[in-house]
Amino acid sequence: MNITKENIINAFNNRHACKEFDSTKKITDEDFNFILKTAQLSPSSFGFEPWHFVVVQDKELRELLKPVAWGAPLKLDTASHYVLGLTMKSPMTKWNSEYITHMMKDVKQFPEDVMETYTKFYREFQERDFNLDTDRHLFDWASKQTYIPLANMMTSSALIGIDSCPIEGFHQEKTEKVLKEKFGIDTEKYGLSYMVAFGYRKNEPREKSRRTLENIVTWK
């Protein structure tokens, strides 16, 4: 690997939740495709990738998000790229769904006997190990996985000098209504977990503050 540990730590120190971007600076297609590629390559439970990302570049669509996303207006106005992190709901992630079968058969190309074993194991995981017995439990479980590509996108962008800001400041029910009516998103299958903005900072942030490693790590 060509990147050093020092360079990585420097990128983490430089990264911050950018509240306002320089609207005159745009991320190149090459750089943003690189960021999206790190999301695609992110790990997920059982490798089932329970996510979808919508890149919102249309100004009119961004305007529609402002009334329902109180944490986003300044980012919507100034970010070079704006992403919605969608998580699959139970019709997509339940052990016997068409999507799960598709992932095993067409994407992973499991033989029939492996599919049968994997399905049995996945069902037991949902019904016994994690008690994913309600639609909400399934969504929350899948949503936790959708945050992994979020972290990877933010880290990869920091490593190439691009700023970002994760956003949970929105009314979920109202936002999903907008997504259904104006974005054409099937909200029976997908729910919104987060938004994230990318671009170049307008102002330098204050110095980063964190608890010490000793306060957050216990060795046994």
Side-chain angles (χ1 to χ4, degrees):
M1 303 298 289
N2 294 324
I3 192 167
T4 67
K5 292 188 286 291
E6 182 181 8
N7 286 337
I8 295 172
I9 292 298
N10 286 340
F12 271 81
N13 277 323
N14 189 57
R15 189 217 61 79
H16 76 112
C18 189
K19 300 298 186 290
E20 182 178 6
F21 298 89
D22 184 340
S23 60
T24 67
K25 296 180 180 179
K26 299 300 178 184
I27 301 170
T28 65
D29 290 343
E30 179 183 0
D31 282 348
F32 201 71
N33 284 334
F34 158 75
I35 293 169
L36 292 175
K37 189 68 177 180
T38 65
Q40 180 197 13
L41 293 173
S42 296
S44 59
S45 184
F46 291 87
F48 285 150
E49 306 169 40
W51 50 60
H52 188 82
F53 307 99
V54 179
V55 185
V56 186
Q57 299 302 84
D58 186 282
K59 290 184 178 180
E60 293 184 3
L61 290 178
R62 287 194 184 191
E63 285 294 323
L64 294 175
L65 292 172
K66 287 183 180 180
V68 294
W70 52 266
L74 193 55
K75 273 81 82 175
L76 285 163
D77 282 338
T78 61
S80 171
H81 288 66
Y82 198 87
V83 178
L84 307 179
L86 303 181
T87 296
M88 293 179 182
K89 294 183 177 180
S90 58
M92 302 281 281
T93 56
K94 197 168 182 179
W95 66 271
N96 58 350
S97 71
E98 290 184 7
Y99 171 76
I100 296 300
T101 300
H102 158 70
M103 286 295 294
M104 290 191 292
K105 181 178 180 181
D106 302 320
V107 179
K108 297 182 179 300
Q109 298 185 341
F110 287 161
E112 287 294 330
D113 59 328
V114 175
M115 282 184 59
E116 184 177 347
T117 301
Y118 215 73
T119 299
K120 180 177 182 294
F121 185 60
Y122 186 49
R123 180 180 183 178
E124 289 178 349
F125 169 80
Q126 287 192 344
E127 295 182 346
R128 181 192 64 193
D129 298 342
F130 263 49
N131 294 320
L132 303 177
D133 54 350
T134 67
D135 291 346
R136 184 70 205 191
H137 286 165
L138 270 171
F139 179 77
D140 288 345
W141 168 73
S143 186
K144 287 188 291 186
Q145 298 169 60
T146 306
Y147 278 77
I148 299 174
L150 169 65
N152 287 340
M153 285 190 288
M154 292 170 61
T155 297
S156 62
S157 64
L159 287 168
I160 59 172
I162 293 173
D163 293 300
S164 62
C165 184
I167 300 159
E168 287 183 322
F170 57 87
H171 189 289
Q172 193 166 37
E173 184 177 343
K174 292 179 180 178
T175 304
E176 289 189 9
K177 183 179 180 181
V178 172
L179 297 184
K180 178 180 180 180
E181 295 177 354
K182 303 299 183 180
F183 286 67
I185 293 171
D186 187 344
T187 54
E188 296 296 317
K189 294 182 177 180
Y190 294 93
L192 180 64
S193 289
Y194 56 79
M195 305 175 183
V196 56
F198 296 92
Y200 296 93
R201 67 188 64 180
K202 184 177 181 179
N203 303 304
E204 288 300 316
R206 64 183 181 181
E207 187 177 350
K208 194 181 295 293
S209 60
R210 291 292 189 273
R211 288 184 293 157
T212 65
L213 276 175
E214 289 74 18
N215 281 330
I216 66 172
V217 178
T218 298
W219 292 73
K220 294 291 187 180

